[in-house]
Amino acid sequence: MTDKNKQSASGGENKEEGLTEVLTEETKFYYPSAAMKENATVKDWDEAIHVAESDPEAFWAEAAEDLEWAEKWKKVLDDSKKPFYKWFVGSKCNIFQNALERHQKTAVKDKIAIISEQEGGRIQKLTYSELYQEVNKFAAALKKLGITKGDRVAVYLPNIPETAITMLACAKLGAIHSVVYAGFSYLALRDRINDAGAKLLVTANASQRRGKIVNLKKTCDKAVEEDCLSIEYMIVVKNVDQETIMKEGRDLWFKNITQNEKENVETEIVDGNDPLFVLYTSGTTSKPKGVVHDHAGYMVGVNRTFKWVFDLKEDDVYWCTADPGWITGHSYIIYGPLMAGITNIMYEGVPDYPENDRIWEMIERHKITILYTAPTLVRLMMKYGDEPPKKHNLATLRLLGSVGEPINPEAWRWFYRVIGQEKCPIMDTWWQTETGMFMITPLPVAALKAGSATRPFPSIKASIVDKKGQRVPVGKGGFLAINNPWPAMLNTLWRNPERYLETYWEKIPNVYTTGDMGFVDKDGYFWIQGRADDVMNISGHRIGTAEIESALVSHEAVVEAGVIGKPHPIKGESAKGFVILKKGFEPSDELIDALKKHIRNTLGPIAIVDEVEFVDKLPKTRSGKIMRRVLKAKELGLPLGDISTLED
Ligand code: PRX
């Protein structure tokens, strides 16, 4: 890294002691191989950041030239009504043109777009041309059912090709998809359908998960029959061979309405700022927020970040283990990979079933080159030890990625050593449903540090600030904020612009508030510590629960840990850790003392954990995030609140 960039990214030197002192071990850099540097699209990280920073609009205008437009923009960025920023104003386009249509004119059309695999073993392959035809058929069917531009279509599907087909068919018609993760309860689904006012719901009769059949249709029936008046039709994919009750006049089989469809549907050319989708995400209140993304800015942001961060090559076989029901799936399972024209894996099932090496076996069998996953999965695999991955040839892998939560250095190093075999850089990508695209992330040529998402993507200005929006010194914790607009940013919250302003722009002046805490180290690297509401204040010291968890899991006896803050009469708050032990370790008072000491040694004296409890399980969302809120409510004897996202 050049000195100039170090200085600008870190905000200058600071002698004050802060959290960085505990990270001495992590100041070690991991450098990319010469071959990686040689073949990378972006060869100089500093230079890319410097160029984009000097003229962000020019940077994104150049990125937009990568894509097809019916009419180009008149203005790259309109900030006259900020924070309701508009990108590529005056443009006419449709993300569908870029995800599928334009590939029909090139050799990409004969490439495999999607390899889908079901837990039970069923494999289906679709070329770009086949996928294009399937989308066209479904778009024609939707059109006949009255779906037109601006209508909302709710989607409650597992990770199967029909999910991609549905989302793309909506986009093609200019309709707005609202995908609800197919693990949400019927009440959560109902509330999301009602908020969006969806006319139609697309689901599957059932899904496979850990050897069990999950009846999705039943959940949809309950949701729709319970005060859900806007739904006119329910379209059902026969995904599992089992009896399904269909309601006359309302329910239609996906296959029946598509198989004989001959109509060639014209792609609706929309205004670049027209909405593409609504995606609900949890906020601080119990009512989920409908995050709105448009066509133009979203496609430019996702396309550029995906191609640069994963340094895509034509023959890449890419696997993102997320689900299309989350933003990771929207941006980097559906739209990003298809726009890039690569081969994409969609796996319906869990990665450790029927055997705990399923994920590694699949990587070997499909010759996967890029694996993008979550720290929770890495830790789960770590728990099974080195043997399962060592049974397989993982040599095709050339890049790894992480998303969703801070990756603790221990898991990072295991992922790097055992899975990446010390040759695959790990792209720790920090971003959110709201940002639509990667925001803080390395590029493959970056020097990495285990556990840091490194620095903002070129053009993005991020900072750690206090409540007043003032930058805090290097090494000190604060709120993670974004200082300038970016193309894939949310446009607003669905039918709630006031909440958009209040949640993201009014809490801290002049910046976009991410809701996360973190700090920047002396090299300008960002260390994200978790959500602001998961940050404790112990004796006036701010400390992230994620940080203590990271410390706990770096102990040899610990697989996973959840930490909460409890009210304390003298210290304000005290920390309690819930710990899952590795096989071969027994709970004991000695071990509790050893863990407390280990945390103190790892993080410093401010990180005192008063209590440790050994547990067999932690409450988690289906996407694998620990629900500390549930731990805390149980511990304090408070109501559990909304637990519809709880896995078990
Ligand atoms: O707290 C951050 C965490 O996940 C939050 C966003 O969650 P969601 O909107 O569900 O999107 C998840 C996938 C993009 C962030 O506010 N988060 C996400 N990625 C990281 C992360 N925390 C640390 N490091 C990351 N790489």
Side-chain angles (χ1 to χ4, degrees):
M1 188 184 308
T2 63
D3 284 333
K4 178 183 72 221
N5 277 322
K6 251 192 215 174
Q7 196 64 20
S8 66
S10 66
E13 276 301 309
N14 187 285
K15 298 279 182 282
E16 284 193 63
E17 283 180 355
L19 289 172
T20 42
E21 67 189 305
V22 300
L23 287 158
T24 40
E25 195 194 344
E26 303 312 335
T27 52
K28 175 180 168 185
F29 283 108
Y30 293 77
Y31 293 99
S33 66
M36 179 64 73
K37 278 180 120 164
E38 173 106 16
N39 297 323
T41 314
V42 180
K43 294 195 167 43
D44 188 331
W45 192 32
D46 288 323
E47 174 72 11
I49 290 175
H50 178 66
V51 168
E53 210 173 58
S54 64
D55 192 346
E57 287 181 40
F59 174 77
W60 288 110
E62 186 270 320
E65 297 289 351
D66 248 13
L67 297 168
E68 260 188 29
W69 302 80
E71 265 177 51
K72 284 206 181 149
W73 54 95
K74 309 232 164 8
K75 205 165 189 241
V76 178
L77 172 66
D78 177 3
D79 60 2
S80 60
K81 294 198 180 70
K82 69 181 178 190
F84 293 93
Y85 294 95
K86 283 192 188 319
W87 283 84
F88 305 103
V89 186
S91 64
K92 301 272 181 228
C93 59
N94 189 312
I95 197 167
F96 176 76
Q97 283 188 312
N98 288 295
L100 281 180
E101 216 156 74
R102 67 176 168 149
H103 299 319
Q104 306 310 311
K105 296 175 268 181
T106 70
V108 176
K109 72 176 192 302
D110 298 320
K111 263 178 87 168
I112 302 289
I114 295 173
I115 302 176
S116 83
E117 178 160 328
Q118 208 175 36
E119 203 178 71
R122 184 184 73 191
I123 292 179
Q124 208 186 333
K125 292 184 183 175
L126 283 169
T127 64
Y128 272 88
S129 140
E130 287 163 342
L131 183 61
Y132 175 75
Q133 287 160 32
E134 292 305 315
V135 173
N136 189 63
K137 283 188 206 166
F138 192 49
L142 286 177
K143 208 175 128 194
K144 290 202 174 113
L145 294 171
I147 297 298
T148 57
K149 183 175 174 228
D151 284 341
R152 275 81 58 209
V153 172
V155 183
Y156 189 78
L157 282 166
N159 195 2
I160 55 176
E162 285 82 355
T163 310
I165 294 168
T166 303
M167 291 164 75
L168 290 157
C170 290
K172 184 172 170 69
L173 295 173
I176 302 166
H177 56 71
S178 169
V179 184
V180 179
Y181 175 64
F184 274 112
S185 67
Y186 77 95
L187 288 170
L189 173 62
R190 179 203 63 185
D191 291 348
R192 284 157 176 78
I193 291 174
N194 282 341
D195 193 73
K199 275 171 84 171
L200 190 141
L201 171 61
V202 187
T203 188
N205 64 340
S207 173
Q208 290 192 358
R209 201 181 157 84
R210 204 173 288 287
K212 297 206 180 84
I213 303 293
V214 186
N215 193 328
L216 302 180
K217 172 71 166 54
K218 214 160 141 190
T219 306
C220 290
D221 286 342
K222 276 174 90 177
V224 171
E225 276 147 29
E226 179 124 352
D227 248 354
C228 204
L229 300 176
S230 57
I231 294 291
E232 293 168 13
Y233 295 103
M234 197 192 299
I235 299 176
V236 187
V237 176
K238 190 157 195 171
N239 185 49
V240 172
D241 209 7
Q242 68 160 30
E243 206 158 316
T244 307
I245 300 163
M246 300 288 275
K247 187 174 170 187
E248 188 77 44
R250 185 198 66 186
D251 300 351
L252 301 160
W253 286 110
F254 189 96
K255 202 160 187 186
N256 288 356
I257 60 170
T258 52
Q259 66 188 352
N260 298 321
E261 201 41 80
K262 296 267 178 321
E263 187 194 337
N264 188 26
V265 181
E266 282 290 309
T267 299
E268 181 82 26
I269 298 302
V270 298
D271 185 296
N273 299 122
D274 280 341
L276 167 66
F277 66 84
V278 182
L279 182 57
Y280 287 87
T281 183
S282 311
T284 44
T285 70
S286 57
K287 195 176 167 341
K289 304 175 283 193
V291 171
V292 180
H293 285 284
D294 66 10
H295 281 252
Y298 178 76
M299 70 183 187
V300 174
V302 169
N303 188 55
R304 169 58 48 108
T305 50
F306 188 55
K307 283 189 171 161
W308 277 22
V309 171
F310 289 126
D311 191 30
L312 295 177
K313 308 292 180 216
E314 251 176 50
D315 50 0
D316 269 322
V317 183
Y318 163 86
W319 185 12
C320 167
T321 64
D323 186 278
W326 309 116
I327 191 68
T328 308
H330 280 57
S331 301
Y332 302 111
I333 294 180
I334 309 294
Y335 291 113
L338 294 177
M339 283 193 284
I342 57 161
T343 298
N344 194 16
I345 305 283
M346 291 182 89
Y347 172 57
E348 180 199 357
V350 295
D352 57 342
Y353 185 88
E355 304 296 335
N356 63 17
D357 65 342
R358 172 68 177 259
I359 181 171
W360 317 122
E361 185 273 323
M362 277 180 66
I363 289 173
E364 178 175 17
R365 182 159 41 82
H366 293 298
K367 300 189 171 47
I368 285 161
T369 58
I370 304 172
L371 175 68
Y372 185 33
T373 189
T376 181
L377 191 141
V378 175
R379 288 194 297 267
L380 175 73
M381 295 301 152
M382 230 174 117
K383 184 178 95 174
Y384 298 133
D386 295 6
E387 267 325 293
K390 289 218 163 117
K391 283 200 286 197
H392 298 282
N393 180 358
L394 305 180
T396 50
L397 284 174
R398 58 176 199 87
L399 271 171
L400 301 173
S402 174
V403 62
E405 53 177 318
I407 181 163
N408 49 300
E410 187 78 359
W412 195 101
R413 285 190 294 259
W414 184 83
F415 200 29
Y416 184 76
R417 180 176 57 80
V418 181
I419 308 308
Q421 300 172 2
E422 299 189 3
K423 69 174 174 60
C424 303
I426 300 175
M427 301 296 104
D428 178 2
T429 58
W430 178 92
W431 60 297
Q432 306 177 300
T433 304
E434 293 87 342
T435 70
M437 63 179 222
F438 304 147
M439 297 293 281
I440 301 177
T441 171
L443 297 182
V445 292
L448 306 172
K449 292 188 192 190
S452 167
T454 73
R455 295 157 70 199
F457 187 80
S459 97
I460 307 296
K461 294 191 182 103
S463 54
I464 302 294
V465 298
D466 61 19
K467 278 199 169 120
K468 294 193 185 119
Q470 301 294 320
R471 274 174 200 256
V472 302
V474 167
K476 287 284 185 197
F479 300 102
L480 173 65
I482 308 295
N483 300 69
N484 60 342
W486 64 99
M489 67 196 298
L490 75 167
N491 301 90
T492 185
L493 291 178
W494 181 253
R495 291 195 174 146
N496 204 343
E498 300 80 25
R499 194 172 174 197
Y500 166 74
L501 290 173
E502 182 197 312
T503 310
Y504 304 107
W505 302 96
E506 288 172 354
K507 288 198 172 126
I508 302 175
N510 305 321
V511 294
Y512 165 84
T513 308
T514 66
D516 276 10
M517 305 289 297
F519 65 94
V520 177
D521 71 15
K522 65 177 178 19
D523 296 313
Y525 279 43
F526 283 74
W527 296 80
I528 314 298
Q529 296 164 296
R531 301 294 298 179
D533 36 16
D534 284 330
V535 172
M536 297 172 292
N537 189 326
I538 301 173
S539 305
H541 296 293
R542 264 197 314 233
I543 182 129
T545 46
E547 247 187 316
I548 297 184
E549 287 165 4
S550 171
L552 276 167
V553 295
S554 71
H555 189 277
E556 53 162 359
V558 179
V559 167
E560 203 147 24
V563 171
I564 58 162
K566 289 170 67 174
H568 187 279
I570 298 169
K571 300 192 281 187
E573 266 187 310
S574 72
K576 172 163 182 176
F578 296 85
V579 168
I580 303 179
L581 289 178
K582 270 192 196 144
K583 254 200 184 128
F585 289 89
E586 291 300 324
S588 70
D589 288 347
E590 286 73 23
L591 187 52
I592 291 178
D593 287 345
L595 290 176
K596 288 183 180 173
K597 209 166 145 210
H598 177 72
I599 294 165
R600 202 186 156 94
N601 285 344
T602 315
L603 292 173
I606 56 161
I608 294 170
V609 172
D610 286 3
E611 288 170 80
V612 172
E613 188 180 323
F614 298 111
V615 292
D616 293 323
K617 262 187 175 177
L618 287 166
K620 282 188 182 174
T621 62
R622 288 190 180 81
S623 65
K625 284 187 193 166
I626 295 171
M627 293 179 83
R628 299 184 189 97
R629 185 172 59 72
V630 172
L631 277 176
K632 192 162 177 164
K634 274 200 87 178
E635 176 70 22
L636 302 177
L638 300 170
L640 292 183
D642 176 11
I643 50 166
S644 58
T645 55
L646 192 64
E647 188 183 29
D648 189 347

